[in-house]
């Protein structure tokens, strides 16, 4: 046993060894079992381009805690891993590499060769993040690893597309879409991030076309779209413009004649109350244009360049055109004014480029009919959000859902399974390749676009379990048990999985949605490349170990709330690992002659010590509370309870309390009882800790003498609280003893009693029950406060002279000072300390009253001096209090 435990814990030598052991023994793998309950989590698939970041580390730590816990409870616990092909992100990465290393574009290679290159890139780098997840300790069933572009997932994608198309829920049409001129693809609404941006509101005069010396003034934030104007709109009830309705205006800078239309969409209070209508470049104008039958003039192309429709501005970048048009309008005397204006501007969620609303031919999913059941499933409790407040966000989005643009103008991804006949023009949508038109036999060509990455991700909970086949895995593990994810992808992923799961499985894809917050830096900022504040989780693992990182990320965390990462907290978690290690060495050292099965019956005949009964009670209560917290996804609070039990109750108290019994080899039965309690509780504590810190617990568990079959702690039985061992009386009695010990220790420290000096202690209690407990447990008090004598007396007994005093829960405690300290010397020492502190207070007071210092010194320096003055003031008050107290003893 002991020979297997080095004196110092080295996570680097432990973690890789045990992960290899777990994989080699297939401990993560699970098959459907009729004798067990299923528990299943599908991993939110990280991008194949990705590297482990703090968000991944937290998300996967939460999942692993739940999986390891349920596995130990005896469930068939499946954590299904995989990665996402991440269409736009992966293609951009490979294109960047091609350009940098070979000075080639994807067009130089052509579609087929480029796709080959992406697959090669995926094979080379795609395993990076899954290997990093292994470093974290993630106990995924790697034998089931999936990829959103693998054969099974691709088959599921085509099946879903075809079925939705046949039901009329997928269609192709000209619609206003969000377009990224950098990624050169359409984006769905939720792939656009809106941010407040300072700009200008220009007021432009549109003169009447019939020559009348009058005009309508329009306010616009985007003058570069003026060449695409096909009307000017006013509110039908706006008296200012009633006479203009139906007349024609001339568009500034391009001369086109357009009508004035009346539409209730116009807000008379905004700007001038008249708006230009550009149906090809604004979603609201697009809808207005459809209502009034207006033409769609595309003035900006898919690269953000002005088209021929822009006349003299053709070929200019959209923003260069903005300035040129304003200059032209000003020269023509048609610029009525300009003012600063802050408004929300859409940016591509992938690259940050300002998006361009463009009319284009795209594929869409009709979402409104599909949103009905997902809304009902959350409202009737089939799926529950934790915390519940996130259900409101989910519901609000589904209630206001718009059709989902699912086509992307890139090459890497699921190519849309639609073929167009070159002869008759018929569109054929099929799960199989279509080489000839079924109508006329003509040659076909497949749609060039691919599906939005989130389309395949939406099928993840059932496509990974074998659908569209009715597999045993699908029947057993679906619906999955819980989805663990951050709140920032409720729209992108959670809602869409609910839509697809209910449409194709008639059941929600998960029973619970456990939402956690984001990991921020120590100042509360989101970690980002631009701020340079990102922290690499692998750096933390290298420095402190994976267990320390995991414990750092889970402690102090509450469902749904963001948390801050502090290096100091990671160091504290490392210190906890060291505490566990040292405790393990103590335990193993004292169990060298202990065999659980052989010794327990004999030990059970020995009298039960209070410390042993207290420890067993506290352990069983902790096991009960930790289990209840995990049931409610309160992983942070569960981790805190385990920490408090191991650090405070087991290490700081029980180890010290057990030493007299463990070290007294002549009191055989008492020693065996202490060994039994030590072994039982330590083994159980390791099990409670295992989901949070799997590596160190495995290393220690393997060194224990065991009475439980199994090759690993991860397959050992989760501790079930034994109600018979929860002893309220023992806990209360032990609390009295511990409070007494704390009070005496505090008095020793306050009186500056040398650590090795033996003391006498007097405890007076009016209550007979308390006196009885104190008398029976005098040995604990003697041992833990270094007392030569402990006197227990009734509450009415005379109070000792020249003694420090404290009161705790009905007990008066006295520490006679005669012979412990020299009152004169202590008074002299404290007097000198008081003089020094007063001098420092005077010096700091003068410094902080100096106007020159306050004016010239940096704020941080002034704050530091003020903090010093407060600290010295507190110390001075404490010294004066001690002097006053000692004066009363003389």
């Amino acid at each position: 046993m002991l020979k297997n435990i080095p004196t110092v814990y080295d996570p680097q030598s432990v973690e890789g060894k045990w992960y290899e052991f777990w994989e080699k023994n297939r401990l993560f793998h699970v098959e459907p079992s009729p004798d067990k309950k299923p528990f299943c989590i599908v991993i939110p698939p990280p991008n194949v381009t990705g590297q482990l970041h703090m968000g991944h580390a937290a998300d996967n730590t939460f999942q692993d805690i739940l999986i390891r816990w349920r596995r130990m409870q005896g469930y068939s616990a499946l954590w299904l891993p995989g990665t996402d092909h991440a269409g736009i992100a992966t293609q951009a990465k490979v294109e960047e590499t091609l350009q940098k290393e070979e000075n080639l574009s994807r067009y130089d290679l052509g579609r087929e060769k480029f796709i080959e290159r992406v697959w090669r890139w995926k094979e080379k780098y795609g395993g990076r993040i899954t290997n990093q997840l292994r470093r974290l300790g993630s106990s995924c069933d790697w034998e089931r690893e999936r990829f959103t572009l693998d054969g099974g997932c691709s088959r599921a994608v085509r099946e879903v597309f075809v079925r939705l198309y046949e039901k009329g829920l997928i269609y192709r049409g000209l619609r206003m879409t969000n377009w990224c001129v950098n990624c050169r693809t359409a984006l769905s609404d939720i792939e656009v991030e809106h941010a407040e941006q300072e700009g200008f509101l220009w007021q432009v005069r549109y003169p009447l076309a019939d020559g009348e010396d009058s005009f309508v003034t329009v306010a616009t934030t985007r003058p570069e779209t003026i060449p695409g104007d096909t009307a000017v709109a006013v509110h039908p009830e706006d008296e200012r413009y009633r006479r203009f309705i139906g007349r024609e205006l001339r568009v500034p800078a391009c001369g086109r004649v357009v009508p004035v239309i009346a539409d209730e969409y116009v807000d008379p209070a905004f700007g001038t109350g008249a708006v230009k209508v550009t149906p090809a470049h604004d979603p609201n104008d697009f809808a207005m244009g459809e209502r009034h039958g207006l033409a769609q003039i595309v003035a900006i192309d898919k690269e953000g360049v002005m088209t021929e429709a822009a006349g003299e501005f053709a070929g200019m970048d959209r923003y260069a055109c903005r300035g040129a048009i304003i200059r032209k309008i000003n020269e023509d005397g048609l610029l009525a004014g300009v003012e600063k204006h802050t408004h929300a501007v859409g940016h591509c969620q992938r690259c940050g480029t300002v998006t361009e609303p463009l009319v284009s031919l795209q594929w869409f999913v009709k979402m409104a009919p599909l949103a009905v059941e997902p809304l009902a499933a959350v409202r009737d409790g089939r799926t529950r959000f934790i915390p519940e407040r996130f259900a409101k966000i989910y519901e609000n989005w589904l209630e206001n859902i718009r059709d989902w643009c699912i086509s992307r103008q890139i090459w890497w991804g699921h190519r849309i399974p639609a073929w167009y006949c070159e002869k008759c023009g018929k569109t054929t949508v099929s799960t199989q390749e279509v080489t000839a038109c079924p109508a006329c036999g003509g040659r076909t060509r497949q749609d060039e676009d691919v599906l939005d990455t989130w389309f395949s991700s939406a099928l993840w909970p059932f496509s990974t379990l074998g659908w569209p086949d009715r597999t045993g895995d699908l029947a057993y593990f679906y619906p999955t048990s819980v989805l663990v994810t951050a709140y920032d992808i409720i729209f992108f992923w959670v809602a869409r999985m609910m839509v697809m799961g209910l449409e194709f499985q008639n059941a929600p894809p998960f029973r619970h949605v456990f939402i956690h917050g984001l990991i921020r830096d120590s100042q509360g900022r989101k970690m980002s490349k631009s701020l340079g504040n990102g922290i690499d989780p692998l750096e933390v693992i290298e420095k402190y170990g994976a267990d320390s990182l995991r414990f750092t990320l889970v402690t102090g965390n509450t469902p749904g709330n963001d948390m801050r990462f502090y290096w100091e907290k990671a160091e504290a978690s490392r210190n906890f690992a060291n505490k566990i290690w040292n405790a393990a060495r103590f335990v193993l050292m004292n169990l060298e002659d202990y065999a659980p099965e052989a010794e327990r019956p004999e030990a059970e005949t020995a009298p039960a010590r209070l410390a042993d009964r207290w420890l067993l009670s506290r352990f069983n209560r902790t096991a009960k509370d930790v289990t209840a917290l995990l049931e409610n996804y309160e992983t942070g609070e569960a981790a805190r309870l385990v920490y408090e039990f191991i650090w405070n109750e087991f290490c700081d108290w029980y180890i010290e309390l057990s030493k007299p019994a463990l070290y007294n080899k002549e009191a055989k039965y008492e020693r065996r009882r202490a060994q039994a309690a030590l072994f039982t509780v330590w083994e159980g504590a390791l099990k409670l800790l295992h989901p949070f810190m799997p590596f160190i617990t495995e290393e220690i568990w393997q060194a224990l003498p065991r009475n439980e079959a199994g090759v690993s702690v991860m397959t050992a039985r989760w501790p079930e609280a034994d109600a018979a061992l929860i002893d309220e009386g023992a806990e209360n009695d032990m609390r009295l003893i511990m409070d007494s010990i704390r009070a005496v220790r505090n008095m020793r420290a306050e009186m500056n009693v040398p650590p090795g000096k033996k003391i006498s202690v007097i405890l007076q209690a009016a209550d007979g029950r308390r006196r009885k407990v104190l008398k029976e447990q005098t040995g604990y008090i003697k041992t833990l406060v270094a007392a030569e004598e402990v006197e227990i007396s009734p509450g009415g007994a005379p109070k000792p002279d020249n003694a420090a005093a404290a009161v705790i829960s009905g007990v008066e405690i006295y520490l006679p000072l005669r012979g412990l300290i020299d009152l004169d010397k202590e008074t002299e020492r404290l007097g000198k300390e008081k003089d020094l502190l007063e001098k420092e207070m005077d010096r700091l007071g003068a410094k902080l009253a100096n106007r020159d210092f306050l004016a010239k010194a940096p704020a941080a320096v002034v704050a530091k001096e003020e903090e010093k003055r407060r600290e010295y003031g507190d110390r001075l008050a404490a010294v004066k209090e001690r002097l006053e107290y000692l004066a009363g003893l003389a």
Side-chain angles (χ1 to χ4, degrees):
M1 293 185 296
L2 189 62
K3 64 179 182 293
N4 295 328
I5 295 287
T7 53
V8 177
Y9 178 57
D10 175 20
Q12 304 308 328
S13 66
V14 165
E15 294 174 356
K17 171 183 74 175
W18 287 119
Y19 201 91
E20 185 180 343
F21 171 83
W22 294 330
E23 282 206 271
K24 184 179 177 182
N25 285 276
R26 302 182 72 208
L27 299 182
F28 305 152
H29 183 64
V30 66
E31 294 288 345
S33 171
D35 302 328
K36 293 182 176 182
K37 289 181 181 178
F39 182 83
C40 181
I41 298 176
V42 290
I43 198 170
N47 288 356
V48 73
T49 60
Q51 293 191 71
L52 192 70
H53 58 62
M54 276 298 176
H56 289 135
D59 191 64
N60 285 279
T61 294
F62 294 133
Q63 292 174 79
D64 197 42
I65 288 167
L66 296 173
I67 280 288
R68 287 180 183 271
W69 165 56
R70 289 300 195 191
R71 187 185 287 126
M72 293 174 76
Q73 283 189 317
Y75 286 75
S76 283
L78 169 62
W79 187 10
L80 204 155
T83 50
D84 194 294
H85 67 277
I88 295 174
T90 304
Q91 177 161 314
K93 191 77 177 174
V94 177
E95 285 191 271
E96 180 187 327
T97 304
L98 265 178
Q99 184 63 43
K100 187 177 178 181
E101 296 180 0
E102 302 177 50
N103 197 27
L104 293 174
S105 74
R106 60 174 160 140
Y107 302 103
D108 293 325
L109 292 180
R111 185 172 193 136
E112 191 175 325
K113 292 288 184 186
F114 177 75
I115 295 300
E116 285 177 13
R117 287 292 189 98
V118 185
W119 275 108
R120 274 159 51 188
W121 190 92
K122 186 262 180 190
E123 293 308 315
K124 186 174 181 180
Y125 298 107
R128 177 173 53 190
I129 193 158
T130 54
N131 288 330
Q132 291 170 341
L133 289 174
R134 286 174 167 89
R135 291 284 307 276
L136 187 66
S138 303
S139 60
C140 300
D141 188 346
W142 296 109
E143 296 177 41
R144 294 176 178 269
E145 185 178 353
R146 302 299 300 271
F147 179 52
T148 51
L149 266 179
D150 68 27
C153 289
S154 296
R155 183 175 162 226
V157 165
R158 281 198 172 187
E159 189 70 32
V160 165
F161 189 96
V162 171
R163 291 193 194 183
L164 291 176
Y165 179 80
E166 289 173 349
K167 289 179 74 171
L169 293 172
I170 281 183
Y171 66 92
R172 191 182 190 218
L174 272 171
R175 292 288 184 274
M176 176 62 63
T177 57
N178 308 289
W179 186 270
C180 177
V181 300
N182 181 53
C183 297
R184 296 187 186 178
T185 185
L187 305 172
S188 66
D189 290 340
I190 57 174
E191 290 174 296
V192 178
E193 294 179 343
H194 289 86
E196 290 292 313
Q197 191 167 304
E198 272 200 11
F200 294 96
L201 188 65
W202 287 275
Q203 294 186 353
V204 181
R205 299 186 181 102
Y206 283 57
L208 280 164
D210 60 11
E212 182 184 327
D213 187 17
S214 188
F215 50 79
V216 173
T217 301
V218 165
T220 180
T221 59
R222 303 194 64 212
E224 67 273 19
T225 63
I226 285 175
D229 288 356
T230 55
V232 168
V234 297
H235 194 278
E237 303 300 323
D238 193 335
E239 292 295 336
R240 294 173 296 173
Y241 299 113
R242 193 182 291 275
R243 74 182 186 89
F244 290 98
I245 296 171
R247 299 180 71 178
E248 292 182 324
L249 304 174
R250 195 169 298 281
V251 178
C254 70
R256 183 184 307 111
V257 173
V258 298
V260 178
I261 61 172
D263 196 289
E264 291 185 349
Y265 164 76
V266 180
D267 179 4
F270 177 75
T272 63
V275 298
K276 63 190 215 62
V277 183
T278 318
H281 294 288
D282 182 276
N284 297 311
D285 291 4
F286 178 82
M288 212 183 317
E290 286 198 321
R291 286 195 293 273
H292 295 273
L294 301 176
Q296 296 172 0
I297 298 175
V298 178
I300 302 171
D301 70 14
K302 292 178 178 180
E303 295 182 8
V305 174
M306 304 308 293
T307 68
E308 292 301 318
E312 64 184 275
F313 307 105
M316 296 179 72
D317 172 78
R318 54 182 171 162
Y319 294 122
C321 176
R322 177 180 292 181
I325 281 186
I326 288 299
R327 285 193 294 275
K328 169 72 171 166
I329 290 170
N330 193 34
E331 288 167 8
D332 292 344
L334 298 176
L335 185 63
V338 60
E339 59 187 72
K340 286 186 176 178
H341 178 65
T342 301
H343 60 135
V345 177
H347 295 76
C348 174
Q349 188 249 351
R350 301 277 182 192
C351 70
T353 302
V354 174
T355 54
E356 191 64 48
L358 290 180
V359 172
S360 57
L361 190 60
Q362 303 289 345
W363 287 89
F364 296 85
V365 178
K366 284 184 184 175
M367 294 299 286
L370 292 167
V372 176
E373 268 302 294
L375 275 168
V378 168
R379 287 169 176 166
D380 64 26
R382 280 175 285 165
T383 293
R384 185 166 69 90
F385 275 80
I386 298 105
E388 287 185 3
R389 69 178 186 271
F390 288 102
K392 293 294 180 190
I393 299 171
Y394 164 90
E395 288 174 15
N396 185 58
W397 188 69
L398 285 174
E399 285 169 345
N400 297 282
I401 201 160
R402 296 169 62 179
D403 287 356
W404 174 15
C405 176
I406 55 171
S407 46
R408 298 291 180 271
Q409 288 65 51
I410 57 174
W411 290 350
W412 173 246
H414 295 278
R415 195 165 174 180
I416 289 175
W419 286 261
Y420 309 110
C421 178
E422 295 179 352
K423 186 176 178 182
C424 71
K426 178 179 171 60
T427 299
T428 304
V429 170
S430 172
T431 58
Q432 305 300 317
E433 298 293 314
V434 178
T435 56
C437 175
C440 71
R443 229 171 75 176
T444 61
R445 59 175 180 81
Q446 189 175 356
D447 195 301
E448 293 288 323
D449 292 352
V450 301
L451 287 164
D452 180 7
T453 294
W454 294 103
F455 191 91
S456 52
S457 300
L459 318 183
W460 190 247
F462 56 92
S463 65
T464 52
L465 293 171
W467 189 89
D469 296 329
R470 305 307 300 176
T471 64
D473 285 348
L474 187 63
Y476 185 74
F477 288 113
Y478 190 95
T480 67
S481 307
V482 58
L483 174 74
V484 180
T485 189
Y487 57 71
D488 58 344
I489 57 171
I490 290 175
F491 309 143
F492 284 108
W493 196 41
V494 180
R496 287 167 173 169
M497 281 191 289
M498 288 288 285
V499 165
M500 295 301 188
L502 284 154
E503 175 67 17
F504 291 97
Q505 299 300 311
N506 297 314
F510 18 75
R511 294 183 177 89
H512 294 149
V513 181
F514 171 32
I515 301 290
H516 59 80
L518 306 179
I519 307 299
R520 299 185 179 274
D521 72 4
S522 59
Q523 298 177 45
R525 300 173 302 173
K526 191 173 180 178
M527 293 185 185
S528 69
K529 286 182 182 177
S530 59
L531 289 173
N533 64 341
I535 295 167
D536 183 355
L538 294 175
E539 184 185 345
V540 184
I541 290 173
E542 289 293 338
K543 190 171 185 179
Y544 295 130
D547 283 338
S548 296
L549 173 62
R550 290 166 64 109
F551 208 72
T552 299
L553 291 172
V554 72
T555 47
N557 195 293
T558 53
N561 294 327
D562 292 349
M563 69 165 287
R564 298 184 181 192
F565 178 87
Y566 297 93
W567 277 103
E568 296 83 355
K569 195 176 169 190
E571 187 177 355
S573 296
R574 189 274 315 272
N575 294 343
F576 180 44
N578 289 340
K579 185 91 167 180
I580 295 163
W581 192 254
N582 291 331
R585 287 183 53 75
F586 173 84
V587 170
L588 291 168
M589 195 180 299
N590 287 282
L591 292 180
E592 286 191 309
D593 61 342
Y594 179 75
E597 288 296 347
E599 302 296 346
R600 274 185 180 177
E602 183 183 275
E604 284 167 7
T605 64
R609 299 185 319 140
L610 172 62
D612 300 334
R613 288 186 287 115
W614 166 77
L615 182 69
L616 287 164
S617 179
R618 289 298 307 137
F619 169 72
N620 280 277
R621 193 184 295 278
T622 300
K624 176 186 172 186
D625 292 345
V626 167
T627 302
L629 287 165
L630 289 176
E631 291 282 0
N632 289 310
Y633 301 99
E634 293 281 357
T635 52
E637 185 63 12
R640 186 190 67 79
L641 285 192
V642 176
Y643 172 92
E644 294 287 347
F645 176 77
I646 291 175
W647 188 296
N648 296 333
E649 295 175 318
F650 188 86
C651 295
D652 286 356
W653 284 102
Y654 184 74
I655 283 179
E656 296 304 315
L657 292 166
S658 68
K659 284 178 179 176
L662 290 170
Y663 294 170
N664 186 359
K665 296 194 176 182
E666 292 182 9
K668 183 180 177 183
Y669 289 162
E670 189 174 344
R671 183 165 186 271
R672 289 295 185 232
R673 168 63 73 176
Q675 283 182 312
L678 191 71
F679 169 79
T680 301
V681 172
W682 183 241
E683 184 192 44
L686 289 176
K687 292 178 185 178
L688 289 180
L689 182 62
H690 176 73
F692 306 95
M693 302 178 81
F695 293 110
I696 193 171
T697 50
E698 185 72 83
E699 178 77 2
I700 296 168
W701 192 83
Q702 292 287 348
L704 282 175
R706 294 197 300 275
N707 63 355
E708 183 177 341
V711 296
S712 167
V713 66
M714 69 180 284
T715 55
R717 293 189 306 271
W718 178 257
E720 290 184 18
D722 184 344
L725 291 175
I726 296 178
D727 187 337
E728 197 78 44
E731 290 188 32
N732 289 335
D733 291 349
M734 198 66 218
R735 193 176 298 116
L736 176 64
I737 300 301
M738 290 159 70
D739 288 347
S740 301
I741 290 167
R742 282 193 198 96
V744 175
R745 284 174 168 175
N746 288 341
M747 284 190 286
R748 283 191 70 123
E750 287 169 7
M751 293 297 111
N752 209 27
V753 177
K757 190 89 170 176
K758 289 284 186 179
I759 60 172
S760 294
V761 179
I762 299 168
L763 297 101
Q764 297 184 353
D767 178 62
R769 171 88 176 81
R770 285 192 175 91
R771 284 200 308 278
K772 181 174 182 293
V773 171
L774 291 168
K775 281 180 180 177
E776 289 174 352
Q777 310 305 330
T778 298
Y780 291 145
I781 299 172
K782 272 188 174 181
T783 302
L784 269 67
V785 301
E788 197 168 37
E789 181 183 359
V790 176
E791 178 188 321
I792 314 295
S793 56
K799 313 301 180 206
D801 295 327
N802 194 11
V807 178
I808 53 102
S809 57
V811 179
E812 294 177 16
I813 305 174
Y814 298 95
L815 176 61
L817 297 175
R818 188 175 304 280
L820 290 182
I821 60 172
D822 186 319
L823 286 178
D824 292 337
K825 280 187 178 179
E826 181 66 3
T827 302
E828 183 183 354
R829 183 186 71 79
L830 288 170
K832 288 178 180 177
E833 187 176 349
K834 171 177 164 289
D835 292 343
L836 283 171
L837 287 169
E838 284 175 338
K839 282 179 184 175
E840 276 301 299
M841 288 290 289
D842 290 343
R843 183 184 69 79
L844 286 168
K847 190 173 186 179
L848 290 168
N850 186 319
R851 290 183 180 177
D852 285 346
F853 169 72
L854 294 175
K856 294 175 184 177
V861 172
V862 175
K864 191 173 181 182
E865 294 299 295
E866 288 174 340
E867 178 60 31
K868 268 191 204 173
R869 184 169 64 172
R870 281 193 294 273
E871 184 186 326
Y872 286 144
D874 291 343
R875 283 172 57 188
L876 181 60
V879 167
K880 286 179 176 177
E881 189 178 339
R882 280 286 308 284
L883 282 167
E884 190 177 335
Y885 179 78
L886 291 177
L889 295 177

